[in-house]
Structures are given as structure tokens and as C-alpha cells.
Amino acid sequence: MRRTNLRRALQLVFRHPGEETRAGIARATGLTAATASSLVAELIESRLVVEGGQARSTGGKRATTLSIDAGHHLLFAMVLRPVDALAALVSLDGTTVYEERIAYSATTRDRAVREMLTRIADRFGGRMLLASVQLTGATDGRTVLESVQLDMSNVPLAEQYEAILGVRVALINDVDAEAIAEVVTEEQHEGLRLFVHLGTGVGGAVTLDGDIAPGPSTRAGEIGHVQVVFGPKAQLCRCGLYGCVEASASLTAILGPEYDESLDDAEVAPLLAAVDPETLRLGAEALARVIKLVGAMLDPSEVIIGGPAVILGEEFLEAVRESLAYDARGTNPLEVRYASTNVPPFAGAAQFALSTALGVRWSPAQLTLTPERA
């Protein structure tokens, strides 16, 4: 019960930093003033909360405000991709204090990542509260169960990285992380939403009231290799089957094999300029088929297309909407939009680390980009 109340009190400070007070926590939680003060004292001792200035007077003695203690604990977040990795250290107030990106090949990846982790552990090891690693493929939080893009199967990656970082490591699927990042951008999290990632692969995630619905085998959303195209238009997928949604709707399928998610805007521009309109349309149709079927089953309030898919622009989004526009009797129309682009790429992994470690969420204004770049 005390841990639950500590999380409730801490979330109030996260939601209203510099404004919340002990009395405000007591009122919001229904706890006694003495209990609220005891909780705050423990949060301060744990270096999670600090006292600030005096609140505005309401006629009596002015209360002392509370803020997030951003001066000690750090959260480590890493986005692990086939050709590069992005690592960041984020303070409890959401400020990025350090960021590093490395590139590698399939043969140099493990060594390059371990060397980066060693550098970060040497510099920040005493301050890290928890580490999270975002990656493509299925994971139970400790083991990479299967990742086609990373060529991993049943790899105990969390344990391996813990030996280097000296702190608990939690793994998260990249689409789940992106769906969490989308939650961070909004004040309200109610309802069920479908999130679809388009990148070098295709994946999905479902959030319910802002939380991921993972499924009993942690493989919910693995839609990339479901066959949705048949006949002569079915393309060969890298998994060996024909007609997978990934073979038509991934950015690799649409932009060509030269595309990968580490390319910058200038490098992507010529690939976009060379896109065949028919390829774009077929990709939109394949994606729409998956969305229509899953949407009919789940009745989501909206469907969000995330990952780097926004580079395809409104033409692709409208093509998806047009393919969804037919009337499937008994179903509701589906609202489809692109994901927000105003958060750093590691936002979901960082929020996952925060919620895993402390059970709280940042507000939309808190996760910021002010890194010391390596």
C-alpha cells in the first residue's frame, strides 16, 4: 500500500512540477497530511523529489512547492536497429543530458554496441536507475525471442547488457515503444488505439488507456509476415513467403532496398523522388487490409501510423484512407493519422524505463531534446 501511495504522490509531482505541495497531495489522494508529508520525505530522501519555492498564499502560511529532482538519477534508453544504435541518458525531469549514435554492420554490431555501453557505464554508471533497450522483434522483456531484422533468436540480451551496465535492463519491442511515445505526447490516454509502425519492417501495437496490451505470449502486433496479397501482385518477402504485408507496405518495399532507417532526409529524398506511384498505391492497399481487419475486431478510437512512414507524405496517407473507405457492414469508420513527430526517437524507451522503474509518466511538455551529443 505504501508503494502504491508513493507512486501516486510522485505522479502528482511529475504532473505539476513546481506547483504541487504536500497539502495538494493529501487532498488529491485522500491521505492524511501526516501521511502525505511522510511520503514526500521518503521521495526526497530517495532523490526523486526536491523542495522548491513558496506556493501562492491562500490566506494562511504559504506551502512549500515540490519539483522533480533532476540532479542525480538517470534513465538509460537505447534504440537498437539493424545498422545503427542510438543511446541516450535522460534525467527524471525528461531532459536528455547525453546522446550517442553509432553505426555498424551485422558483423561488427555486437562489439560496437558493447564498446558504447562500456563508455556510458564508465561515465554514468553510478547514476543510472534503469536501462531500457528498444528493438525490432518479439521479446519477453529479458530475451529477444525472435528478430528477423537483427538475426536473433532466443538471445538473453538483457542479461548480457546488465553485465556491462551494472543496472537492470528491460527490453521492449520497437512498435510498443513508439506507441508509448505517442501516449507521452498527449494529456489524455483514454480508450483503445491501434498503432502501426512502417519502417524497414511492419508491426503493430494496441494501447488501452495509455498502456500496452501485450498479449499472453508477448507477440501481439507481429503483423509484418501476415499474407494479405495474393496472385501475381504478391511480392517475395525476406521471410520466404509471398504476399506478406511487409513485402508491400514496408518502406523498404516502397522506397527500394537502398532504404534503411538510419538515412537522413537528404539521403531519403532521391528515393522518394523515384517512387513508382503504383508501388505506393499497392503498399497502401496492403496496409489498409490489415488495418481494416484488425480495426473491425478491436473497434479502436483511432489508428496511428508511426515510424519513419511520415516521410511518405499525405499522398500515402490518403491512399490508405481511400482503401479503408468502403462500407464493411457492422463496423465503424476508422480514423487514421500519422504519429506525432515532436519527440526524440528514444522517447518510448525512456518512458518505458521511467514507468518500469518508478511507475509514473511524464507529461507532454517534459520529454525534451537538449543533449550533449557524442
Side-chain angles (χ1 to χ4, degrees):
M1 179 65 73
R2 185 169 179 84
R3 286 196 297 270
T4 298
N5 287 332
L6 281 167
R7 286 195 297 270
R8 294 169 69 193
L10 184 59
Q11 183 63 74
L12 287 167
V13 179
F14 266 75
R15 181 60 61 183
H16 308 290
E19 300 177 10
E20 195 57 80
T21 64
R22 292 169 174 82
I25 291 172
R27 287 192 298 272
T29 59
L31 300 170
T32 66
T35 299
S37 293
S38 173
L39 294 173
V40 170
E42 185 170 341
L43 293 173
I44 291 174
E45 183 179 358
S46 300
R47 302 194 69 172
L48 301 175
V49 168
V50 293
E51 292 184 320
Q54 300 296 304
R56 287 179 295 180
S57 176
T58 57
K61 180 181 177 181
R62 292 197 297 171
T64 300
T65 61
L66 303 168
S67 293
I68 302 164
D69 188 343
H72 181 67
H73 296 299
L74 295 173
L75 299 162
F76 174 84
M78 182 168 73
V79 181
L80 183 65
R81 297 182 291 210
V83 297
D84 71 337
L86 174 64
L89 277 299
V90 182
S91 64
L92 292 187
D93 68 350
T95 300
T96 305
V97 300
Y98 181 82
E99 183 180 335
E100 180 174 352
R101 177 185 172 274
I102 58 171
Y104 41 68
S105 66
T107 56
T108 63
R109 180 187 65 212
D110 290 346
R111 186 190 64 193
V113 171
R114 288 173 180 274
E115 289 175 350
M116 179 178 68
L117 295 181
T118 299
R119 289 193 299 273
I120 290 174
D122 289 344
R123 182 170 175 181
F124 298 103
R127 299 176 60 190
M128 283 189 283
L129 195 61
L130 188 137
S132 66
V133 178
Q134 171 182 331
L135 49 84
T136 60
T139 174
D140 61 2
R142 299 291 301 167
T143 299
V144 182
L145 302 175
E146 184 177 10
S147 175
V148 175
Q149 295 184 48
L150 294 173
D151 191 25
M152 292 185 184
S153 180
N154 295 317
V155 177
L157 202 63
E159 181 181 338
Q160 295 175 11
Y161 288 173
E162 283 172 350
I164 302 171
L165 292 171
V167 67
R168 180 186 172 194
V169 174
L171 309 180
I172 182 170
N173 168 266
D174 59 341
V175 186
D176 288 348
E178 289 175 18
I180 290 171
E182 189 67 20
V183 171
V184 174
T185 68
E186 301 173 345
E187 291 287 354
Q188 301 298 322
H189 315 122
E190 289 80 8
L192 185 147
R193 298 195 301 184
L194 174 62
F195 188 96
V196 179
H197 169 96
L198 289 191
T200 54
V202 178
V206 174
T207 59
L208 180 60
D209 297 335
D211 294 321
I212 293 292
S217 65
T218 70
R219 291 176 182 261
E222 293 296 322
I223 60 174
H225 300 286
V226 174
Q227 292 173 295
V228 294
V229 182
F230 301 93
K233 293 183 179 180
Q235 300 295 314
L236 177 63
C237 183
R238 60 181 165 180
C239 74
L241 298 176
Y242 282 85
C244 297
V245 61
E246 184 174 301
S248 292
S250 69
L251 293 193
T252 307
I254 294 172
L255 299 179
E258 299 84 4
Y259 175 80
D260 69 62
E261 295 183 30
S262 67
L263 300 180
D264 59 30
D265 291 345
E267 293 169 316
V268 171
L271 301 180
L272 283 169
V275 170
D276 181 351
E278 180 66 7
T279 300
L280 192 74
R281 185 185 65 81
L282 291 175
E285 288 180 355
L287 181 63
R289 288 174 186 170
V290 173
I291 291 174
K292 195 74 170 182
L293 288 169
V294 178
M297 178 65 71
L298 298 179
D299 190 25
S301 58
E302 64 176 344
V303 179
I304 302 161
I305 300 176
V310 67
I311 65 176
L312 297 177
E314 287 300 313
E315 180 183 359
F316 179 78
L317 189 60
E318 284 304 315
V320 173
R321 288 169 174 162
E322 288 174 8
S323 295
L324 289 170
Y326 69 90
D327 181 21
R329 297 292 295 275
T331 66
N332 285 322
L334 293 170
E335 296 185 15
V336 183
R337 65 173 175 86
Y338 281 131
S340 305
T341 57
N342 60 345
V343 293
F346 49 81
Q351 175 58 65
F352 177 64
L354 177 68
S355 58
T356 300
L358 300 176
V360 297
R361 287 179 178 149
W362 280 300
S363 68
Q366 286 173 322
L367 200 57
T368 59
L369 266 173
T370 55
E372 173 190 331
R373 296 186 179 274

